[in-house]
Amino acid sequence: MQAEASRRTVARRPPDRKARIVAAAAELFRTRGYHNVSVADVAAEVGITAPALYRHFRGKPDLLLQVVDTTITTVAASAAEAPDLGAYLRSSASAAVERRGSAVLWQREARHLPEDRRREQRRALGGVADRIGVLIRAARPGLDQGDEHLLAWAVLSVYGSISWHRTSLPRRRFEELLHRLGYAAAHCPLGARAAAGEGPSPDGHPGLPVSRREEILVEAIRLFDERGFQSVSTDDIGEAAGASGPSIYKHFPTKTDLLVAAVMRGGEQRRAGTARALSGPGTPRGTLDRLLRSYIEFAIGQSRLIGLLIGELDQLPEKERKLARQTQREYLTLWVRLLDAVRPGLDAAEARIVVLAVLTVIDNAVRTGAMGERPDLADRLAEIGTAMLLARDAPTTP
């Protein structure tokens, strides 16, 4: 009897338990956020106890590291194994649908890793972009190295864009659409580089004296973007702004008030640019071009705010969260309506996926290393965005 019980116990411990734990943690971190998931939550999802999980991982930080590392390693392998650009674009379209949500893990949740680990992950992801760049160079000899780098990140962004929304299509159509967008980004004709000069002003902050309230808000936005709202304290913000805790409370009673003010600022600035884009005369195509330009200008000038609008809306109080979500939906609806006027008959779900991919390419470009400092970035992103918005069927062969 004892031997039989022992055999039953062994049977309950599948050899892939560690992989199942990582997969469950990845899904929970993606859907709820790292700080809102406990080790017990992950264990329950796998059907084991928390002590059983600790046999594989030292704790939640160790589990997060494994989740992010596994995700990036998988993406890197896909790029390394591709014999050419065409094969990579096709296989990545399929993999993106299969592993939907991966980009959230390395873009949002990796912020909670120790700084040295974050640097390692950024280098690894940069290596993936380098490999894609090699594939692009082989397909497009003579392409400027900086443009090659920009297009490589654009391709990565296309396939990662579906991680941030739930719009879907039947599997085959979904893959074909992603392939078309990836092809359009990788093969986009780019104009001449701008002459060397002063690049865009990051976050639109001029070197002029600002109010104490503004200094506090600017530092809060930066820290929330870098570390995540829940990982930042008011003391952290005060230290960064050179202000004491009591002086912060004079302007913002709570940390949440800082986040609300930041998100409201982002929404107001984007609305202002949108209003200017829509006010000009012209055809639907001309209006779409102006809307694209307005978003690029907003993203370049307010890259830190982009981080909050992407990753921190769930931290808002319910009233403000619903308002922010509604504003996002209305903004997307505007894009889809304009795109439909330019390309009549385009399926609404496909149009949403296209628009969100374009916005993601822009968001990531302004927030990725030295790319955000390119003096010609707005022009190049306009070219890439237009190519994606107007993309028809991609070739069936590399």
Side-chain angles (χ1 to χ4, degrees):
M1 290 291 292
Q2 187 175 2
E4 183 180 350
S6 177
R7 284 194 297 271
R8 287 200 300 268
T9 301
V10 172
R12 295 192 192 102
R13 297 179 181 176
D16 64 342
R17 175 174 288 178
K18 186 172 184 177
R20 290 171 58 193
I21 292 171
V22 171
E27 181 63 15
L28 290 174
F29 292 160
R30 184 184 70 82
T31 56
R32 300 186 194 175
Y34 174 74
H35 284 293
N36 299 320
V37 175
S38 68
V39 168
D41 292 332
V42 178
E45 192 71 17
V46 180
I48 61 176
T49 64
L53 187 148
Y54 281 115
R55 296 191 187 104
H56 300 279
F57 299 97
R58 293 189 297 273
K60 197 168 74 162
D62 185 39
L63 183 52
L64 175 62
L65 176 61
Q66 186 66 49
V67 164
V68 175
D69 183 65
T70 299
T71 301
I72 295 179
T73 298
T74 302
V75 174
S78 176
E81 294 166 2
D84 54 47
L85 180 61
Y88 173 75
L89 295 174
R90 180 67 68 182
S91 65
S92 292
S94 176
V97 176
E98 185 70 30
R99 300 192 299 269
R100 190 172 188 173
S102 297
V104 172
L105 297 170
W106 75 62
Q107 287 183 292
R108 187 187 70 194
E109 302 308 324
R111 295 178 301 173
H112 307 302
L113 293 171
E115 182 56 34
D116 60 335
R117 295 295 192 176
R118 290 175 62 190
R119 284 195 297 268
E120 291 177 7
Q121 302 297 347
R122 285 194 292 267
R123 283 195 296 269
L125 199 56
V128 177
D130 290 343
R131 171 57 184 166
I132 299 172
V134 169
L135 298 175
I136 292 175
R137 186 189 315 137
R140 301 181 62 180
L143 188 67
D144 178 274
Q145 186 175 9
D147 290 343
E148 170 194 304
H149 188 64
L150 175 60
L151 294 180
W153 280 103
V155 169
L156 260 180
S157 298
V158 166
Y159 295 126
S161 65
I162 65 171
S163 297
W164 300 94
H165 63 83
R166 294 190 179 93
T167 304
S168 193
L169 293 168
R171 177 67 180 258
R172 187 174 182 81
R173 282 178 56 200
F174 207 170
E175 291 181 9
E176 288 298 328
L177 177 58
L178 289 177
H179 175 247
R180 184 165 76 235
L181 292 171
Y183 185 94
H187 290 85
C188 173
L190 297 178
R193 293 287 296 272
E198 186 176 353
S201 174
D203 294 314
H205 301 319
L208 299 174
V210 293
S211 68
R212 172 58 77 188
R213 183 181 191 278
E214 179 69 8
E215 290 175 337
I216 293 169
L217 185 56
V218 166
E219 291 303 325
I221 291 171
R222 178 180 67 81
L223 291 173
F224 293 159
D225 179 38
E226 289 179 352
R227 305 181 193 173
F229 175 76
Q230 294 191 28
S231 296
V232 176
S233 68
T234 52
D235 287 339
D236 294 330
I237 298 167
E239 181 180 355
S244 64
S247 68
I248 291 180
Y249 297 134
K250 291 178 184 178
H251 302 286
F252 302 96
T254 68
K255 188 176 72 165
T256 299
D257 291 317
L258 277 160
L259 181 62
V260 170
V263 171
M264 288 180 60
R265 164 181 287 189
E268 289 166 359
Q269 293 186 353
R270 190 176 65 183
R271 278 193 295 273
T274 301
R276 289 192 296 271
L278 298 180
S279 64
T283 62
R285 169 66 190 277
T287 304
L288 183 64
D289 290 343
R290 290 196 301 272
L291 184 61
L292 175 62
R293 281 281 185 174
S294 76
Y295 187 78
I296 291 169
E297 291 171 5
F298 165 69
I300 289 176
Q302 302 294 339
S303 62
R304 294 291 190 184
L305 276 175
I306 291 291
L308 271 61
L309 293 174
I310 292 172
E312 300 298 338
L313 294 188
D314 287 343
Q315 305 302 323
L316 291 169
E318 182 178 7
K319 177 182 177 181
E320 287 79 6
R321 183 174 65 253
K322 287 183 177 179
L323 178 60
R325 295 292 186 196
Q326 179 63 29
T327 300
Q328 298 276 47
R329 286 192 292 270
E330 291 172 355
Y331 187 63
L332 178 59
T333 298
L334 170 63
W335 275 88
V336 170
R337 190 164 63 244
L338 268 174
L339 186 57
D340 181 65
V342 174
R343 297 178 57 185
L346 184 65
D347 179 83
E350 287 195 18
R352 286 194 296 273
I353 293 168
V354 169
V355 169
L356 289 165
V358 170
L359 299 183
T360 302
V361 167
I362 296 167
D363 292 344
N364 289 350
V366 303
R367 293 165 53 79
T368 302
M371 280 196 301
E373 301 171 5
R374 287 180 57 144
D376 65 340
L377 183 62
D379 291 335
R380 302 294 79 82
L381 288 177
E383 292 165 347
I384 296 170
T386 300
M388 292 171 59
L389 289 167
L390 303 181
R392 304 292 178 172
D393 292 338
T396 56
T397 56

